[in-house]
Amino acid sequence: MISFKLEEEQQIARDALREFADQVMRPIARECDEEEKLSEEFLAQSWELGLVSTQIPEAYGGGGEERSPITNAIILEELAWGDVALAIAALTPAAFAYAIVDHGTDDQKQAYLPLFCGDSYHAAALAVNEPTVAFDPSIPRTVAEAKGDGFVISGVKSFVAMGDRASHFLVVARNNGGLDAFIVPRDAEGLAISKNEENLGLRGLPTATLELERVELPASARLGGEAGSDVRQLLDNSRTALAAAMVGVSRAVLEFAVPYAKEREAFDQAIAQKQGIAFKLANMHIETESTRWLVWKAAAQLEQGIDATRSAHFARGYAAEQSMWIADQGVQVLGGHGFIRDHLIELWFRSARTISVLEGTLGI
Amino acid sequence: MIDFEPTEGDQKILDQVRAEALICRNYARYYDEHEHEFPPEELEEAKGKPNVYTMFAGRSESDSGIGIMSMLISAGQTWGDYSVRMHRGTGGLGNAALRAAGTPEQNEKWGETTLAMAITEPGCGSDPSMVQTTAVLDGDEWVINGEKIFVTTGCRCDGVVVWATVDKSAGRAAIKSFLIEKGTPGFVVAQKEKKLGIRADDTAAFVFSDCRIPRGNLLGGNEEVQQKGSGGFKGVMKTFNMTRPGVAAIGIGMAEAALDFTRDCLTEAGFEITYGGGLHSAPAVVDKFQRLEAKYEAAMLTILRAAWLSDEGEANNTEASVCKAKTGEAVRQITQGCIEILGPMGISREHLLEKWFRDVRITDIYEGTGEIQRMIIARSLLGYTRKELN
Ligand SMILES: Cc1cc2nc3c(=O)[nH]c(=O)nc-3n(C[C@H](O)[C@H](O)[C@H](O)COP(=O)(O)OP(=O)(O)OC[C@H]3O[C@@H](n4cnc5c(N)ncnc54)[C@H](O)[C@@H]3O)c2cc1C
């Protein structure tokens, strides 16, 4: 039945996170970006919301709620509206944990899920992106080979969120012609973790480059065990999550630009009264809405277990194009003031460019 | 629950619509090339087959809403052809106005007839408050004088809802809708327009000279002219909240046909269209095609969003404009892009793609141009009145 109806709990979650984003994230976003430093206090506050543990089964210490990509897409839009770097920092463990819930063996669930059900923030991350031109997540350069009962992995992964402290990385690699994901502990021999990367945007988010040089792993490190896992689904899930975050950035820009344009005057009128500006705002709204529905459709398919590859491809591709365009228009609406770091528009412009080239990273 | 999958019951109806649409497609080229012939009321192939709308009976609460289904059915039909239907539809744009603004008695009297809607005049289109056609009360009759152009279904309708002013000095508040039946003395169908696309559609020009209609033909029956505000006018404008998504749905169906044709051609030529690879992994032509597909998806979802709000009984004024603006632009980009992809094959009249390219162009014009929709959206975002942004 085609419906856009939010469940009551989804509305409650959205409203609560909107408030959290507004009161906790917005005030610190600029400082984290300027100082290239995450707020530990924020991590603790976000952990208290139970964002990560809620959808982990009770048997492993979690909240036991059904996995819901739709609910998570809604939550992610709100958090990214607050700040993308902080949103990714808060939800990086969830991306890892959801992959284990969705694809892990019982032993893997037993081993890793309890890590995310404790009282304090625990980091583990997806390692999908690679620093290659025209990166294609479906044919990574990182490769696994069978060796004895286990595997040997080599390759380079970049933009690995929370790389400064993650206890484990879920590394996507080519294996025997297909794709697999491997759980690699931080202290694995042959794994070199760089110091924090210096990126265009999301500067508050610590990210690292991982160099894997013949890292030896036991058979049990392969996600899904002997059967392996549906890495395609995992990547679709990430794409939908990234797109949801891009909707948050777009909405942030639009909601900032609208009151600004009403206030700012030129040629005896508010600039918003000029169609050149008003129509930009209308287009920004149209595309923010369009993108959100693409995200919801992909998330609904993921939730229902329907093949979401096509929808996730559209959601991510469309969101990438539109969120960059919207942020770009936002700068233009503010004129010179859009170029100055006093306003968050400048930060969102960099966030949009940064997040829209990523794969992996998030999960819903 | 958020869900984008039609139920089994929905799908049965939509499958039948598509099956019929394919039959209609066989007639598409003929009526495009014979602009002054009308497609039949009912195709030979329709004899004995139920009209899809009768399949609405027996639907359950768990099926998709009526508004949503109407959009999907419209899109399914125009995926076949814009103007040729197995069965003629149950009304024109005027019927929507009657349902929205007519009294129960008026609905009783004209509900079963096909009504066109005549707002546009030679000197006024985007700004309907400039309507020059006049209605003057003379005893128990209204006397209508003026010209209307671009009236959809103008030739084949049984009657028309006409916008006219009862007092030129009173502005928008004095604009009222009147129901005028065909055959009324003084009402002449001046011509059928010749068009770029949707040629089988009868778009007509009307002239009213001292055309006398009963006093009771004033839609809604309220003769009062409010001196302040635009309450009455806004009531009239409400008609658009489902007709805008409706014309968007009509447009998106044709764009989908263009995409399906292009996909088949690409596949036949050996291009593999897969999803899930990197942003730069597909050949340029496949990437271009997929971007057009994404625009289709996005536009379709905005239409469903507007229709869903209406099904829920919620206001959808802004969303109706969002979907109209989005779709009006998307269908142009999609059909233009498909021709670009197929090159000389795309412009050949051997295929219907060049026709779809012409047919969809109207989507961003009628029921308010893309610019007018953006103005409505911007006013709603900014909390502006018509005076503050125009
Ligand atoms: C095939 C067809 C069927 C139609 N069916 C019907 C029908 O059934 N009933 C009916 O009443 N009408 C109908 N119309 C008329 C249609 O609704 C009008 O053509 C349309 O609203 C635009 O009006 P216009 O042609 O007078 O253009 P204009 O109003 O002259 O506009 C010209 C251009 O100026 C732009 N513009 C105008 N005002 C503004 C503004 N304030 N800000 C920015 N840009 C602006 C417009 O967007 C457009 O791009 C039909 C038209 C066609 C072609």
Side-chain angles (χ1 to χ4, degrees):
Chain A
M1 172 195 193
I2 297 173
S3 169
F4 290 74
K5 198 173 205 73
L6 291 176
E7 303 290 339
E8 206 184 320
E9 309 87 75
Q10 290 171 332
Q11 286 181 39
I12 292 169
R14 183 194 58 191
D15 295 348
L17 291 207
R18 192 168 282 190
E19 195 182 320
F20 180 78
D22 184 48
Q23 297 184 0
V24 179
M25 300 172 83
R26 276 287 172 90
I28 60 170
R30 173 58 78 187
E31 192 183 320
C32 290
D33 188 76
E34 291 285 322
E35 296 185 0
E36 306 198 26
K37 200 161 173 289
L38 201 53
S39 154
E40 300 298 324
E41 191 192 347
F42 161 76
L43 280 187
Q45 283 171 305
S46 74
W47 196 259
E48 273 169 30
L49 297 174
L51 295 174
V52 180
S53 63
T54 309
Q55 290 174 21
I56 291 176
E58 275 175 21
Y60 309 106
E65 281 183 24
E66 288 277 330
R67 287 273 296 107
S68 174
I70 295 175
T71 302
N72 293 339
I74 292 162
I75 286 174
L76 202 39
E77 176 182 332
E78 297 307 325
L79 293 181
W81 177 91
D83 184 65
V84 185
L86 295 172
I88 296 180
L91 294 175
T92 292
F96 183 97
Y98 294 157
I100 302 284
V101 173
D102 294 349
H103 306 281
T105 62
D106 286 343
D107 284 349
Q108 287 166 343
K109 289 178 189 175
Q110 202 74 58
Y112 302 108
L113 294 179
L115 296 175
F116 306 100
C117 301
D119 288 338
S120 56
Y121 182 89
H122 181 90
L126 300 187
V128 174
N129 298 291
E130 296 182 355
T132 52
V133 173
F135 169 61
D136 182 340
S138 65
I139 27 174
R141 300 255 173 109
T142 303
V143 177
E145 288 166 47
K147 184 180 175 198
D149 281 346
F151 301 91
V152 186
I153 308 190
S154 295
V156 182
K157 293 289 176 184
S158 60
F159 206 93
V160 178
M162 308 307 292
D164 63 341
R165 66 188 83 182
S167 65
H168 296 82
F169 302 102
L170 191 62
V171 177
V172 171
R174 247 187 300 174
N175 180 28
N176 206 7
L179 281 181
D180 258 313
F182 297 90
I183 302 161
V184 180
R186 184 177 191 87
D187 57 7
E189 207 168 315
L191 169 64
I193 303 170
S194 75
K195 63 178 179 41
N196 287 348
E197 295 169 345
E198 293 176 356
N199 292 314
L200 162 72
L202 317 188
R203 293 186 187 189
L205 175 73
T207 65
T209 303
L210 311 184
E211 285 182 40
L212 299 106
E213 175 107 35
R214 297 197 63 77
V215 173
E216 296 200 17
L217 298 170
S220 61
R222 183 190 192 196
L223 185 63
E226 229 172 291
S229 59
D230 185 354
V231 176
R232 177 73 269 151
Q233 197 269 1
L234 194 143
L235 294 173
D236 294 342
N237 181 298
S238 282
R239 287 186 156 186
T240 309
L242 287 164
M246 292 182 227
V247 175
V249 184
S250 299
R251 215 185 80 219
V253 172
L254 176 64
E255 288 180 5
F256 189 89
V258 163
Y260 185 92
K262 273 185 88 166
E263 180 98 21
R264 181 78 179 169
E265 294 192 350
F267 300 94
D268 306 325
Q269 259 185 331
I271 55 169
Q273 288 181 262
K274 314 285 182 193
Q275 285 191 354
I277 297 293
F279 284 13
K280 266 196 225 315
L281 298 172
N283 284 326
M284 290 156 76
H285 175 70
I286 290 168
E287 297 306 350
T288 304
E289 295 264 306
S290 299
T291 313
R292 180 184 303 115
W293 313 142
L294 286 172
V295 169
W296 283 19
K297 182 168 179 179
Q301 290 179 340
L302 287 167
E303 186 151 328
Q304 292 168 27
I306 303 170
D307 182 353
T309 298
R310 187 167 179 265
S311 295
H313 180 104
F314 290 152
R316 179 188 177 276
Y318 200 85
E321 194 171 304
Q322 296 304 334
S323 60
M324 185 67 255
W325 177 83
I326 287 167
D328 179 72
Q329 297 296 297
V331 170
Q332 198 66 16
V333 169
L334 267 73
H337 298 271
F339 200 77
I340 303 296
R341 296 219 299 278
D342 286 351
H343 295 296
L344 283 169
I345 286 266
E346 173 277 336
L347 186 153
W348 294 328
F349 178 74
R350 289 183 288 111
S351 295
R353 183 64 288 170
T354 306
I355 190 177
S356 56
V357 300
L358 299 178
E359 298 276 359
T361 314
L362 284 167
I364 51 174
Chain B
M1 188 183 97
I2 293 170
D3 183 10
F4 296 96
E5 308 303 318
T7 61
E8 232 173 87
D10 296 342
Q11 197 57 51
K12 231 170 112 188
I13 294 177
L14 297 174
D15 287 346
Q16 165 149 0
V17 170
R18 298 274 161 155
E20 292 186 358
L22 267 185
I23 295 169
C24 299
R25 199 178 277 183
N26 297 332
Y27 297 84
R29 179 59 73 187
Y30 181 87
Y31 288 104
D32 181 59
E33 290 180 350
H34 297 79
E35 193 167 12
H36 287 274
E37 287 179 37
F38 297 121
E41 297 275 312
E42 197 178 64
L43 291 184
E44 197 55 36
E45 291 88 334
K47 299 245 161 75
K49 292 245 175 74
N51 190 328
V52 280
Y53 287 98
T54 60
M55 295 178 78
F56 266 75
R59 285 168 55 73
S60 79
E61 288 260 308
S62 59
D63 288 319
S64 303
I66 283 284
I68 293 250
M69 283 303 282
S70 307
M71 297 303 116
L72 293 174
I73 288 172
S74 287
Q77 286 174 331
T78 57
W79 175 80
D81 188 62
Y82 183 100
S83 311
V84 186
R85 300 263 186 287
M86 285 271 278
H87 314 262
R88 271 266 268 141
T90 46
L93 290 168
N95 295 79
L98 176 68
R99 280 193 297 273
T103 62
E105 299 77 49
Q106 290 170 333
N107 269 290
E108 173 83 8
K109 187 164 177 197
W110 292 301
E112 296 298 307
T113 60
T114 296
L115 300 174
M117 182 89 188
I119 305 169
T120 307
E121 300 179 356
C124 119
S126 294
D127 183 2
S129 69
M130 285 169 44
V131 159
Q132 297 296 307
T133 299
T134 54
V136 177
L137 196 58
D138 180 25
D140 253 359
E141 288 179 329
W142 292 101
V143 183
I144 313 286
N145 276 291
E147 268 179 70
K148 292 289 175 183
I149 57 170
F150 302 168
V151 187
T152 297
T153 354
C155 299
R156 288 184 295 180
C157 62
D158 305 307
V160 56
V161 174
V162 171
W163 283 23
T165 173
V166 294
D167 180 357
K168 273 194 183 171
S169 65
R172 292 196 298 161
I175 294 175
K176 306 273 177 190
S177 316
F178 299 87
L179 205 137
I180 310 183
E181 292 175 30
K182 279 275 183 67
T184 309
F187 171 9
V188 176
V189 178
Q191 61 168 343
K192 184 183 171 192
E193 313 277 7
K194 296 181 195 143
K195 305 189 294 288
L196 167 71
I198 59 167
R199 292 188 181 165
D201 234 37
D202 47 316
T203 312
F206 293 165
V207 177
F208 299 97
S209 8
D210 288 331
C211 178
R212 304 181 83 89
I213 55 170
R215 188 165 184 172
N217 286 21
L218 169 63
L219 212 61
N222 179 12
E223 294 178 2
E224 213 177 304
V225 174
Q226 284 167 325
Q227 286 312 321
K228 272 200 148 160
S230 57
F233 194 74
K234 280 205 176 120
V236 183
M237 297 303 280
K238 262 208 185 114
T239 319
F240 292 124
N241 293 1
M242 271 316 275
T243 57
R244 280 177 177 155
V247 298
I250 286 171
I252 207 71
M254 294 185 273
E256 189 190 356
L259 286 170
D260 287 349
F261 176 70
T262 307
R263 186 185 303 105
D264 288 348
C265 293
L266 283 171
T267 311
E268 209 170 296
F271 287 100
E272 220 187 316
I273 302 171
T274 58
Y275 305 86
L279 280 191
H280 311 285
S281 307
V285 67
V286 172
D287 178 60
K288 183 179 174 82
F289 176 74
Q290 290 179 328
R291 283 171 195 260
L292 298 177
E293 281 190 301
K295 286 184 203 295
Y296 161 82
E297 287 283 330
M300 187 53 145
L301 288 166
T302 60
I303 296 170
L304 296 177
R305 172 75 183 174
W308 177 77
L309 286 170
S310 161
D311 282 339
E312 293 286 298
E314 289 183 39
N316 74 343
N317 192 40
T318 311
E319 288 78 6
S321 287
V322 165
C323 81
K324 175 67 168 59
K326 177 69 207 163
T327 308
E329 190 174 85
V331 298
R332 289 155 60 190
Q333 294 168 331
I334 290 166
T335 52
Q336 291 167 20
C338 285
I339 290 192
E340 195 180 324
I341 286 172
L342 297 184
M345 193 180 160
I347 53 174
S348 166
R349 294 221 300 271
E350 230 177 273
H351 306 294
L352 287 170
L353 178 55
E354 67 80 28
K355 177 179 177 294
W356 293 322
F357 157 83
R358 290 183 284 114
D359 287 347
V360 298
R361 190 61 186 82
I362 190 62
T363 314
D364 212 16
I365 299 172
Y366 63 4
E367 292 286 303
T369 63
E371 289 75 17
I372 299 305
Q373 307 305 334
R374 283 173 176 81
M375 206 149 62
I376 292 167
I377 296 163
R379 277 184 202 150
S380 135
L381 286 177
L382 291 155
Y384 276 166
T385 60
R386 177 186 144 88
K387 247 210 187 106
E388 289 166 303
L389 182 66
N390 54 55

